[in-house]
Amino acid sequence: MSELRFVHLGFGADAVEYQEAWQEQRRVHAARFADEIPDTCLLLEHPAVYTAGRRTEDSERPLDGTPVVDVDRGGKITWHGPGQLVGYPILKLPRPVDVIAHVRRLEEALIRACAELGLETTRVEGRSGVWVLGDPVEQRPAIGGLSLDFDPRLTDEEFDPRLNGPEYAPSNAGQRREDRKLAAIGIRIAKGVTMHGFSLNCDPDNTWFDRIVPCGIRDAGVTSLSNELGRRVSVAEVLPVVEKHLREILESAEPRPRPVEAGAASGTAGVAEAAGAS
C-alpha cells in the first residue's frame, strides 16, 4: 500500500462537529477515488454525539429521546465525544473488497498501540473492535445481591441494562469484570474506497454509553485506557502512538481482492461495498 497521509482535523477546544467531519470524509473519499490524493487518515475528536449505523434497532437508541445521527456505515449505535480519538482512514482497496481484512488491519494497529501504552488487548470472536477480556463468568462478582445463576444478563436476550440501575450500566463493566470494548470499528466501502473507521476511548466520560446499548451488545460494556491503566491517558498522548502503528500496518499491508467463487460474483460483488462492522 502507498504512503499514508495523516490529517489532524481538530482536538479539544477545536473538536470537529460530526456532520462537518462527515462532509470532509465525502470530499476526501471523492478525491481518493479519482486518485487526486494518496490514502489519507483523518484524525480528530468530536463534541458529544450519538451515531447509529444501518443495523441499529429502535430498542438500542437512547430511552430519553436524545438526538441520534443516522449514518451510512456498518454496525449499530455508538457514542463519540471528548476524550475519544476518532480515525477515518480513507483508503483505496482492490476489488472485490475484502471488508473483514480491512477491519482486522485496523484492529491490529490499535492492539499494538495499546500494548505500547501498557495495556494488553485482544479481539473477541464474532465481535469487531478491540477488547479487554473479563473474568470467566463463574468468577465474576455477584451483582446487586443476585447469584450468578439468576443474573438476567445470562438468560434474557432482551435484558436492557439501562433499566436495571447503575451497577448494570455499560460503563461499569470493569467493576463487574465483564468483557469490555476499548475501541469500536464501523466502516463503509464505496467504489472500492473506505470511509468511517474507528474510535478509541482514551479518557472519555464513559457514562455517555449508559443511555444506549453500545454496538447493540447487551452482555458486555465499555472501558477506556485511563480506566484500565489507572491514570489519565489523554488523546494527545495516544495520538502519535496510534499514528505510528497505523502507518506500520497500513503501509506494509498488501491488500488482495476478496476471493469470489466461480458463478457467485454477480450475487456477491455488491456485498463488500456495503458491509461494515461495529
Side-chain angles (χ1 to χ4, degrees):
M1 189 174 284
S2 62
E3 182 178 352
L4 180 63
R5 178 180 68 139
F6 289 97
V7 176
H8 295 181
L9 291 187
F11 302 92
D14 298 319
V16 185
E17 293 288 345
Y18 188 84
Q19 295 284 9
E20 179 183 344
W22 196 3
Q23 184 60 37
E24 179 64 6
Q25 278 197 76
R26 295 187 186 103
R27 187 192 70 78
V28 175
H29 181 278
R32 183 66 191 96
F33 175 69
D35 290 324
E36 298 171 353
I37 61 171
D39 288 337
T40 299
C41 182
L42 308 178
L43 293 167
L44 63 149
E45 273 180 281
H46 286 303
V49 62
Y50 293 103
T51 69
R54 294 182 301 268
R55 296 192 296 110
T56 303
E57 299 178 10
D58 288 343
S59 63
E60 296 160 353
R61 295 171 181 263
L63 293 173
D64 60 4
T66 300
V68 174
V69 178
D70 289 286
V71 296
D72 57 357
R73 62 167 169 79
K76 296 200 171 192
I77 191 167
T78 192
W79 172 84
H80 299 306
Q84 185 186 74
L85 175 60
V86 175
Y88 298 131
I90 300 176
L91 318 173
K92 179 172 280 191
L93 301 178
R95 302 198 213 182
V97 171
D98 190 335
V99 180
I100 301 302
H102 175 59
V103 171
R104 295 292 174 262
R105 285 191 288 269
L106 296 182
E107 290 171 343
E108 183 62 26
L110 296 176
I111 287 170
R112 293 186 185 187
C114 291
E116 181 169 331
L117 291 163
L119 178 64
E120 181 180 354
T121 58
T122 188
R123 299 178 176 89
V124 170
E125 182 75 22
R127 292 177 170 177
S128 67
V130 175
W131 292 78
V132 176
L133 293 183
D135 296 338
V137 172
E138 63 274 10
Q139 296 179 18
R140 295 177 191 171
I143 303 295
L146 296 174
S147 71
L148 282 174
D149 290 342
F150 294 97
D151 191 325
R153 292 166 296 163
L154 302 180
T155 57
D156 184 358
E157 294 182 357
E158 297 302 317
F159 170 69
D160 193 332
R162 297 169 297 175
L163 301 176
N164 288 269
E167 64 269 25
Y168 288 101
S171 63
N172 285 331
Q175 297 178 27
R176 297 192 300 270
R177 305 304 303 161
E178 292 179 345
D179 292 351
R180 45 213 184 267
K181 182 177 279 192
L182 180 68
I185 295 176
I187 65 171
R188 178 173 185 252
I189 300 179
K191 300 179 179 179
V193 179
T194 67
M195 290 183 69
H196 301 286
F198 66 86
S199 57
L200 174 62
N201 296 330
C202 303
D203 188 32
D205 176 1
N206 276 345
T207 60
W208 283 94
F209 288 100
D210 296 345
R211 298 186 185 182
I212 60 175
V213 180
C215 299
I217 298 173
R218 299 176 185 272
D219 62 346
V222 295
T223 191
S224 67
L225 287 165
S226 296
N227 286 348
E228 297 298 329
L229 293 175
R231 64 177 181 86
R232 183 172 185 268
V233 183
S234 68
V235 170
E237 177 183 349
V238 174
L239 179 60
V241 181
V242 168
E243 274 195 25
K244 168 188 169 182
H245 290 284
L246 283 172
R247 188 180 298 281
E248 288 177 351
I249 293 294
L250 297 180
E251 286 187 355
S252 64
E254 296 182 8
R256 298 180 180 181
R258 173 178 50 83
V260 178
E261 296 181 4
S266 61
T268 61
V271 174
E273 298 295 315
S278 67

